[in-house]
């Protein structure tokens, strides 16, 4: 997250202030207060209701304000009931210009708003799931090679390339995670704030413009959803860690951060806390940003089909009549994640990647194994939308780099890469292309130190 450069200040409609409610869900915490620039960062008392929310109301004129909560933490790594300052877990924008990150609230016409963007292309037809050609991209790295002098790394630079993607035949973009993360460069798999967008890529209005411009061209927008875990300093970890998360990592070898506990049920409030939060997140992104699908990262690690059934239905119910595609990164893949009783519409077809790549680089030839991955019905999948085929993605080296490592270069490498492209595009399933693969980019998975 880069320091905030500008947060537009709205001209107040008048000097009349309107009552604005602030609330924090912390049902088992003893106390909470609100602080903000509207109170000179002095505590404003909050009162807890029977639903577990601390609430207070502040009279605010139209404008942009910064705020935080102070709460008596119940997290096991603090001494009992220690007062800690936290950013609102539901904040939709962050000011990172301070050492402590503050939430931002915008008031216009006496109401909370995210921004003032006006959608232009809600009525444009979008392709159905079975006709998709997905292009996966990382906003920070998209467009040009490492020596490209042109600006890149923001939503507006992706907009500049949309006509190019249309010419390729792309009709869906899968953005690597764009939720607010710490620092100024990341792949986004360490989300700290689940409702706020990454400020280094642009504003919320600029992200909406990107999605709107995609819809104008008949391109669907998919988001990479990180629902297995959060970054270690995400606000929910500070309020009451074990209310929403597992106490310890279930798989120490994959300790990406605190893991959401979708099994934990609060009988007193008749709610699953982690499901409640992620459900709110998914509904918000569909309603506010008009996304058309979600890739569920680390679905095997989530390991809770009840939750996945529920969240997929919540997503589709929120999306209404428009097509919405739910894709699991469930590696290794299994038909049970997508078939009749499975929660997801499709899954990443990782056996296709491993098998076809091994044949492209000349490591093996097994006709029956090839038949299995080229016809996913032989593996037990039921339909064309159940698998997403790729020859590489953000988790792997570009194919030309794999070929180069084996001494296959020049025209010989391009012939093999073209064969791989033909298989991705014609095999049963939905094709996915990782950015740069369309022109045979030679790059390894981690071109920058510290990438995650």
């Amino acid at each position: 997250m880069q320091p905030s450069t500008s947060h537009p200040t709205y001209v107040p409609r008048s000097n009349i202030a309107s009552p604005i409610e602030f609330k924090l869900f912390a049902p088992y915490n003893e106390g909470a207060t609100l602080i903000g620039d509207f109170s000179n960062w002095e505590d404003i008392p909050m009162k807890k209701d029977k639903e577990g929310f601390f609430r207070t109301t502040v009279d605010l004129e139209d404008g942009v304000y910064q705020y935080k909560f102070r709460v008596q933490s119940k997290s096991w790594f603090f001494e009992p009931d220690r007062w800690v300052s936290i950013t609102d877990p539901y904040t939709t924008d962050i000011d990172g210009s301070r050492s402590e990150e503050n939430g931002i609230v915008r008031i216009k016409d006496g109401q909370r708003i995210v921004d003032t963007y006006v959608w232009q292309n809600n009525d444009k037809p979008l392709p159905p799931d079975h006709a998709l050609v997905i292009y996966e991209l990382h906003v920070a790295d998209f467009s040009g090679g490492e020596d490209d002098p042109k600006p890149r790394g923001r939503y507006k630079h992706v907009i500049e390339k949309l006509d190019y993607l249309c010419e390729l035949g792309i009709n869906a973009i899968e953005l690597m995670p764009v939720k607010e993360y710490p620092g100024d460069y990341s792949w986004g798999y360490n989300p700290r704030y689940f409702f706020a967008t990454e400020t280094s890529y642009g504003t919320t209005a600029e992200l909406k413009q990107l999605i709107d411009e995609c819809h104008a061209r008949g391109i669907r927008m998919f988001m990479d959803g990180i629902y297995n875990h959060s970054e270690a300093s995400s606000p929910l970890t500070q309020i009451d860690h074990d209310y929403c998360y597992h106490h310890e990592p279930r798989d120490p070898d994959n300790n990406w951060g605190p893991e959401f506990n979708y099994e934990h049920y609060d009988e007193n409030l008749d709610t699953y806390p982690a499901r409640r939060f992620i459900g709110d997140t998914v509904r918000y992104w569909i309603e506010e940003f008009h996304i058309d699908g979600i890739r569920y990262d680390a679905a095997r690690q989530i390991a809770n089909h009840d939750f996945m059934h529920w969240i997929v239905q919540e997503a589709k119910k929120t999306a209404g009549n428009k097509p919405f595609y739910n894709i699991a990164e469930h590696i290794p893949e299994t038909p049970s994640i997508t078939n009749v009783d499975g929660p997801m519409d499709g899954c990443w077809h990782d056996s296709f990647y491993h098998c076809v790549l091994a044949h492209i680089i000349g490591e093996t030839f097994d006709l029956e194994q090839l038949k299995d991955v080229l016809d996913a019905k032989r593996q037990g999948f039921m339909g064309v939308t159940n698998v997403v085929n790729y020859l590489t993605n953000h988790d792997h080296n570009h194919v030309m780099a794999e070929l180069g490592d084996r001494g296959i270069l020049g025209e010989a490498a391009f012939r093999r890469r073209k064969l791989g492209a033909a298989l991705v595009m014609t095999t049963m399933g939905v094709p996915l292309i990782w950015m740069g693969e369309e022109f045979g980019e030679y790059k390894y998975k981690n071109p920058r130190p510290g990438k995650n």
Side-chain angles (χ1 to χ4, degrees):
M1 180 183 60
Q2 291 180 338
S4 174
T5 55
S6 65
H7 292 289
T9 301
Y10 301 109
V11 178
R13 56 190 172 133
S14 68
N15 292 325
I16 300 175
S18 301
I20 304 298
E21 184 183 58
F22 291 81
K23 64 181 181 179
L24 176 69
F25 185 63
Y28 298 102
N29 299 68
E30 291 299 318
T33 65
L34 170 69
I35 57 176
D37 54 8
F38 43 76
S39 70
N40 293 318
W41 300 101
E42 297 294 328
D43 289 304
I44 298 174
M46 303 182 76
K47 185 177 180 180
K48 186 162 59 175
D49 63 19
K50 295 179 180 179
E51 298 175 340
F53 285 93
F54 285 92
R55 299 177 186 267
T56 191
T57 299
V58 181
D59 289 336
L60 297 177
E61 298 176 7
D62 286 7
V64 182
Y65 303 91
Q66 298 192 20
Y67 72 103
K68 295 177 87 80
F69 294 116
R70 295 182 67 246
V71 63
Q72 287 182 275
S73 175
K74 289 190 68 67
S75 296
W76 50 267
F77 44 81
F78 290 129
E79 59 265 29
D81 295 327
R82 173 182 169 183
W83 283 93
V84 296
S85 295
I86 62 156
T87 307
D88 185 355
Y90 283 76
T91 188
T92 58
D93 204 353
I94 293 290
D95 179 11
S97 62
R98 302 170 181 264
S99 58
E100 291 189 11
E101 298 159 352
N102 297 325
I104 293 173
V105 60
R106 290 181 171 82
I107 310 300
K108 189 173 189 296
D109 297 334
Q111 302 292 326
R112 283 176 177 259
I113 64 166
V114 176
D115 52 53
T116 57
Y117 187 80
V118 178
W119 293 87
Q120 303 296 320
N121 298 291
N122 286 335
D123 59 342
K124 297 297 173 65
L126 297 172
D129 293 348
H130 69 266
L132 293 171
V133 179
I134 305 173
Y135 190 89
E136 186 191 17
L137 69 85
H138 180 223
V139 174
D141 291 323
F142 180 65
S143 81
E146 292 303 308
D147 297 325
D148 183 0
K150 294 183 179 179
R152 57 177 165 165
R154 296 179 69 84
Y155 301 125
K156 63 183 181 181
H157 300 134
V158 180
I159 293 175
E160 293 170 2
K161 293 288 186 178
L162 290 181
D163 290 340
Y164 159 76
L165 294 178
C166 285
E167 292 174 4
L168 286 178
I170 301 301
N171 61 14
I173 291 175
E174 182 179 301
L175 288 184
M176 287 174 66
V178 298
K179 295 181 179 69
E180 189 75 79
Y181 52 71
D184 60 4
Y185 183 87
S186 171
W187 273 5
Y189 294 98
N190 53 339
R192 180 174 285 178
Y193 303 107
F194 282 72
F195 291 78
T197 61
E198 174 52 36
T199 49
S200 65
Y201 298 158
T203 65
T204 55
E206 288 172 328
L207 175 56
K208 290 178 181 179
Q209 184 184 8
L210 167 58
I211 297 170
D212 211 9
E213 292 289 343
C214 284
H215 290 168
R217 294 165 173 80
I219 297 174
R220 288 170 64 179
M221 177 62 77
F222 301 157
M223 291 293 178
D224 204 334
I226 317 305
Y227 307 130
N228 175 64
H229 61 277
S230 75
E231 190 266 342
S233 297
S234 193
L236 293 182
T237 70
Q238 313 295 302
I239 299 170
D240 188 351
H241 183 284
D242 289 3
Y243 190 59
C244 287
Y245 299 94
H246 291 282
H247 183 73
E248 295 178 344
R250 290 169 296 171
D251 181 0
D253 293 333
N254 283 326
N255 186 16
W256 300 307
E259 298 172 348
F260 287 108
N261 183 351
Y262 296 114
E263 290 76 48
H264 176 223
Y265 175 66
D266 182 342
E267 293 185 356
N268 295 328
L269 295 177
D270 187 25
T271 190
Y272 289 89
R275 299 187 194 191
R276 176 184 188 143
F277 179 72
I278 296 302
D280 289 345
T281 297
V282 167
R283 286 187 291 268
Y284 169 78
W285 279 83
I286 296 171
E287 291 172 349
E288 189 70 31
F289 291 96
H290 298 195
I291 63 172
D292 310 296
I294 295 173
R295 173 207 179 254
Y296 296 77
D297 183 68
R300 179 176 285 278
Q301 284 71 29
I302 291 174
N304 187 312
H305 277 214
D306 286 342
F307 162 71
M308 286 190 279
H309 272 290
W310 176 79
I311 198 64
V312 164
Q313 292 308 309
E314 288 297 302
K316 292 192 172 186
K317 182 168 60 177
T318 307
N321 293 327
K322 76 172 187 175
F324 199 90
Y325 192 35
N326 295 278
I327 313 162
E329 185 209 24
H330 193 281
I331 296 175
E333 77 275 357
T334 172
S336 64
I337 199 73
T338 65
N339 283 358
V340 176
D341 296 326
M344 296 288 167
D345 301 316
C347 67
W348 274 23
H349 196 189
D350 208 53
S351 62
F352 177 96
Y353 158 75
H354 287 288
C355 178
V356 174
L357 181 65
H359 285 78
I360 293 296
I361 63 180
E363 285 187 349
T364 188
F365 183 77
D366 185 326
L367 186 58
E368 290 304 309
Q369 188 183 36
L370 264 177
K371 288 179 180 179
D372 284 344
V373 299
L374 297 180
D375 180 4
K377 289 183 179 179
R378 289 171 54 118
Q379 296 177 310
F381 292 96
M382 298 182 64
V384 66
T385 60
N386 289 157
V387 291
V388 176
N389 298 318
Y390 49 85
L391 204 46
T392 191
N393 57 46
H394 70 269
D395 278 331
H396 304 289
N397 296 331
H398 281 279
V399 176
M400 295 300 279
E402 295 284 356
L403 292 166
D405 283 352
R406 293 159 178 82
I408 305 170
L409 303 166
E411 184 58 32
F414 274 99
R415 284 199 301 268
R416 293 176 186 238
R417 186 62 192 91
K418 289 175 182 177
L419 173 59
L423 293 176
V424 169
M425 298 303 298
T426 60
T427 296
M428 169 192 162
V430 174
L432 178 141
I433 301 167
W434 169 232
M435 66 180 191
E437 279 297 294
E438 70 271 21
F439 53 81
E441 185 167 26
Y442 192 116
K443 185 183 285 187
Y444 293 93
K445 173 186 174 183
N446 289 330
R448 297 195 195 184
K451 178 178 282 189
N452 53 46

